[in-house]
Amino acid sequence: MATLQSRFDPNDAQAMENARAYDALLADMQEKFAWALGGGGEKMVARHYARGKILVRDRIDLLVDPMTPFLELTPLAAWGLYGNGVPSAGIVTGVGTIRGVTCMIIANDATVKGGSFFRETVRKHIRAQDIALENRLPVVYLVDCGGANLKNLEDVFPDQEHFGGTFYRQCRMSAEGLPQLAAVFGECTAGGAYIPALADEFVMVADNSSIHLGGPQIVKAAIKEVVDRDTLGGAEMHSCVSGVSDHFAADEREAIARLRDMVGALNYPQKAHGDIRSPRAPLYDAAEIPAIVGTDLSRPFDQREIIARIVDGSDFHEFKPLYGETVVCGFAHIEGYPVGFIANNGVLFSESTLKAVHFIELCDQRNVPLVFLQNTTGFMVGSDAERGGISKNSAKLVYAVSNTRVPRYTVVTGGSYGAGNYGMSGRGFRPRFMFMWPNARLGGMNPDVGSSVLMDLRRASISRHPATEEELAAYEQELRDMFETKSDPYYCTARIWDDGIIDPRDTRAVLAMCLAVGAMQPPEPGNRPVYRM
């Protein structure tokens, strides 16, 4: 393969200004991560410790194999919602290795509202299960759950994508041979009881854990029986009398050790498929990416500079380099795993769109997974573009993305607007994983275009709804602020529209984990023709 030659000068004045501006973004991101890691706050954490319990992320550290990474998903879920009172939506999800088996881990944080489920908690739980199903991963549940939040039942209870959808998925995955294992660390009431009850095998911890469809208060209200929590559904009763629990553990560490043994007994081999090579470091330093990108989306950057800093040896076999130049396509490896890149270098014209379609077909034929690097305002508009067939050509890209059989991964490195988001494998097109950088923006229109369109409509109605120039200026600013707010990456990740905001310097490591997960499935059978666009 040809080796990419970087033209970036880190000592350039603009590069140094970009680096300084991006440092502020990264500092802000770390502050928000600290909010997520803090759980329910000092008081609730102290109460958790007083009960002899281990914090949720420390449980995960004990569960996964030593010196192996854990890819946490959407840690900033629910940021800015509920008065910022539900850090990480009260649940931690992610991919980790247990006894050599790559698993999806779903863990309740009981320091946050008792581990109860809010709208975003359900979305995050379901997203983790869907990732597990698509990538054929066993699921391990660390249960410390108070069930649905009773004040928000309309957001978590009745619909198919609500709390019941998590149980449905759990049953379906077990039926498809994807192991469902659990450890119960706290009280599992009402719907929370079904998480372990539907598991293939699970362990309960003495004293703190319990399982009951109705807690002592509900039992008293329903049938006038007065009973304590342990007698009703404690670990000893369920392990010795009801047989609901499969294992009994004296404390949390023993439960985690027992859970690791369960995974070790799964007989669940995971083999990598594809042209897996020995990893090589890129020739260029990923620490330079913030200085290349900056924080001003109006300043373009060459995605080749990003690719050169995340692929093995900075080697990149570029496809059609002289045609459709606003999209960069090519083959490379990341930590030894083969990958095809489709990266925006601007607006999507018909030529660049057709080039991307052709390249998708090549990757589909060769069983090469795709990584989309999004930075586009969308497809080109105007009379010339329409005469050139942008409507049908953009539709071809949407069709190709929807029907390719290879895994797809998406990183929003800049702007992701309108139908460009769709054509570049946005969340609606179900990439295996999707991440955003802290400088990224995602929306139906960028603030300039969106506010301009709505202002034109407002001015067109001026005869029916009079307004002064000052009122119009204030309205325009209000519109701009709205588009800015709703395209902000933290607004998006709070609502689980991505799988997390990542430091650009970590992109290679994150993609490598995702590619490794995807490589564990053999290619789908069937013919894969290439139709030249």
Side-chain angles (χ1 to χ4, degrees):
M1 286 188 182
T3 301
L4 288 168
Q5 300 297 316
S6 176
R7 298 180 181 180
F8 173 70
D9 179 6
N11 298 315
D12 176 76
Q14 184 61 57
M16 290 190 287
E17 175 57 31
N18 285 351
R20 285 191 293 270
Y22 217 103
D23 282 345
L25 283 187
L26 293 175
D28 178 62
M29 182 181 74
Q30 291 303 323
E31 287 183 7
K32 290 180 171 64
F33 282 156
W35 164 83
L37 295 173
E42 292 182 4
K43 181 179 178 181
M44 298 308 298
V45 168
R47 179 185 294 181
H48 196 78
Y49 281 138
R51 292 171 174 170
K53 301 174 79 171
I54 301 171
L55 293 178
V56 62
R57 290 178 176 84
D58 293 335
R59 289 170 179 164
I60 293 172
D61 285 343
L62 292 169
L63 179 64
V64 300
D65 293 344
M67 306 302 291
T68 63
F70 173 68
L71 178 60
E72 184 172 346
L73 305 175
T74 48
L76 298 179
W79 166 260
L81 303 174
Y82 313 105
N84 254 3
V86 190
S88 294
I91 192 169
V92 178
T93 63
V95 179
T97 302
I98 306 169
R99 294 287 294 269
V101 181
T102 301
C103 300
M104 174 60 71
I105 299 170
I106 300 176
N108 306 111
D109 185 353
T111 70
V112 179
K113 308 297 183 183
S116 60
F117 275 67
F118 291 73
R119 177 179 59 246
E120 291 72 26
T121 318
V122 174
R123 284 179 56 83
K124 191 169 174 178
H125 189 117
I126 283 177
R127 173 61 183 154
Q129 289 179 308
D130 287 347
I131 290 172
L133 178 60
E134 187 169 32
N135 291 281
R136 311 298 298 172
L137 300 179
V139 185
V140 176
Y141 302 88
L142 306 185
V143 192
D144 205 344
C145 170
N149 186 276
L150 297 181
K151 294 182 179 180
N152 295 272
L153 284 179
E154 72 279 7
D155 291 329
V156 299
F157 176 69
D159 206 353
Q160 66 179 15
E161 296 302 303
H162 285 168
F163 203 14
T166 68
F167 309 138
Y168 174 81
R169 285 167 170 79
Q170 194 171 339
C171 296
R172 297 285 294 182
M173 283 191 285
S174 179
E176 290 193 25
L178 299 180
Q180 307 289 298
L181 307 176
V184 181
F185 298 102
E187 187 172 2
C188 296
T189 305
Y194 284 113
I195 300 174
L198 291 171
D200 306 330
E201 186 178 2
F202 74 92
V203 57
M204 291 183 71
V205 179
D207 300 325
N208 280 326
S209 71
S210 62
I211 296 174
H212 33 63
L213 294 184
Q217 298 90 341
I218 295 176
V219 171
K220 181 179 179 181
I223 63 172
K224 311 304 180 186
E225 179 184 356
V226 177
V227 62
D228 64 79
R229 186 170 64 89
D230 283 340
T231 303
L232 181 64
E236 185 173 353
M237 190 282 288
H238 277 312
S239 299
C240 301
V241 179
S242 72
V244 170
S245 173
D246 304 301
H247 304 280
F248 177 88
D251 57 30
E252 293 198 3
R253 290 179 179 272
E254 182 183 336
I256 292 169
R258 190 64 58 86
L259 193 53
R260 283 179 51 82
D261 288 344
M262 291 182 208
V263 177
L266 285 179
N267 187 28
Y268 200 85
Q270 294 170 322
K271 299 178 181 179
H273 299 268
D275 179 20
I276 314 299
R277 302 179 181 179
S278 297
R280 293 179 297 142
L283 298 182
Y284 304 101
D285 192 351
E288 296 174 336
I289 293 178
I292 294 169
V293 175
T295 60
D296 184 355
L297 293 187
S298 67
R299 290 183 179 275
F301 62 88
D302 189 349
Q303 294 274 24
R304 295 177 185 85
E305 296 286 357
I306 309 304
I307 295 170
R309 286 160 177 81
I310 62 177
V311 302
D312 291 3
S314 300
D315 289 346
F316 186 60
H317 174 56
E318 188 167 351
F319 177 70
K320 286 186 182 291
L322 303 180
Y323 181 79
E325 296 179 4
T326 60
V327 166
V328 176
C329 300
F331 297 98
H333 283 73
I334 294 179
E335 292 289 358
Y337 293 96
V339 63
F341 279 95
I342 299 179
N344 299 122
N345 263 0
V347 67
L348 288 157
F349 292 92
S350 278
E351 294 84 359
S352 49
T353 298
L354 294 176
K355 169 181 166 179
V357 173
H358 189 169
F359 184 72
I360 289 171
E361 291 179 339
L362 289 177
C363 289
D364 203 41
Q365 184 195 60
R366 301 173 187 181
N367 299 315
V368 176
L370 282 157
V371 168
F372 291 79
L373 302 181
Q374 292 190 359
N375 182 25
T376 182
T377 54
F379 293 100
M380 189 61 188
V381 298
S383 56
D384 287 344
E386 294 297 348
R387 290 187 179 95
I390 190 65
S391 294
K392 68 175 181 180
N393 293 328
S394 63
K396 290 175 183 176
L397 179 56
V398 167
Y399 190 92
V401 169
S402 301
N403 288 287
T404 184
R405 286 171 284 185
V406 297
R408 290 177 282 109
Y409 310 91
T410 301
V411 181
V412 185
T413 64
S416 175
Y417 293 111
N421 169 272
Y422 296 160
M424 289 293 295
S425 189
R427 189 56 171 269
F429 287 76
R430 297 166 173 77
R432 297 288 181 98
F433 293 90
M434 176 175 165
F435 301 96
M436 297 180 72
W437 287 355
N439 63 294
R441 294 293 184 273
L442 190 156
M445 289 185 180
N446 70 43
D448 290 336
V449 175
S451 58
S452 177
V453 169
L454 292 180
M455 279 304 298
D456 285 346
L457 294 173
R458 178 66 182 91
R459 290 183 184 279
S461 67
I462 201 74
S463 61
R464 301 189 303 277
H465 305 285
T468 66
E469 285 301 319
E470 290 78 10
E471 289 171 334
L472 290 174
Y475 180 59
E476 184 174 15
Q477 186 60 51
E478 180 184 332
L479 291 173
R480 180 175 292 276
D481 291 344
M482 178 195 71
F483 280 109
E484 287 282 3
T485 297
K486 292 187 176 183
S487 63
D488 183 87
Y490 298 105
Y491 186 94
C492 298
T493 202
R495 291 155 178 81
I496 308 114
W497 296 346
D498 60 18
D499 293 311
I501 298 174
I502 62 172
D503 187 325
R505 299 168 296 187
D506 295 332
T507 303
R508 172 178 165 86
V510 170
L511 285 176
M513 283 195 69
C514 296
L515 289 165
V517 169
M520 291 187 298
Q521 296 179 64
E524 290 187 24
N527 296 325
R528 301 167 185 248
V530 175
Y531 294 102
R532 295 185 63 89
M533 293 292 111

